[in-house]
């Protein structure tokens, strides 16, 4: 759905760069992946008040969080709803 405006960014709370890179390759993750390699001290995790992983956030075009921690059909439905508004 990237062509419709969906962008995914994975933020890892890993500490070990080689293990993080191995996991990206093993899971065949094709979207952007970032990590500060600071585990729970990660500034992105702090900014979004991540208390557990995995955590998901849907942001609108302005960067406002419009949903969080959705999974499966609920996540898919919210994404389709937001893309339909474009």
């Amino acid at each position: 759905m990237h062509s419709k405006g969906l962008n995914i960014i994975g933020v890892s709370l890993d500490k070990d760069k080689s293990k993080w890179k191995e996991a990206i390759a093993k899971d065949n993750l094709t979207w952007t992946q970032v990590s500060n390699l600071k585990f729970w001290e990660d500034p992105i995790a702090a900014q979004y008040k991540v208390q557990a992983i995995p955590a998901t956030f849907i942001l609108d075009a302005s960067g406002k969080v419009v949903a969080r921690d959705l999974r499966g059909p609920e996540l898919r439905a919210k994404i389709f709803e937001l893309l339909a508004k474009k």
Side-chain angles (χ1 to χ4, degrees), residues 20-33:
W20 170 54
K21 295 285 189 174
E22 287 173 24
I24 292 169
K26 179 183 171 206
D27 294 339
N28 196 32
L29 302 178
T30 58
W31 53 86
T32 301
Q33 301 290 322

Side-chain angles (χ1 to χ4, degrees), residues 1 6 20 24 31 40 51 55-56 59 62 73 81 85-86:
M1 292 183 267
L6 176 66
W20 170 54
I24 292 169
W31 53 86
W40 286 105
Q51 301 292 312
T56 60
L59 285 64
S62 70
E81 171 194 325
K85 292 179 180 179
K86 288 188 87 180

Side-chain angles (χ1 to χ4, degrees), residues 31-60:
W31 53 86
T32 301
Q33 301 290 322
V34 298
S35 182
N36 290 299
L37 301 172
K38 293 184 176 184
F39 201 44
W40 286 105
E41 302 302 317
D42 186 278
I44 299 169
Q47 177 181 347
Y48 287 94
K49 298 176 179 56
V50 173
Q51 301 292 312
I53 51 176
T56 60
F57 297 85
I58 299 176
L59 285 64
D60 65 12

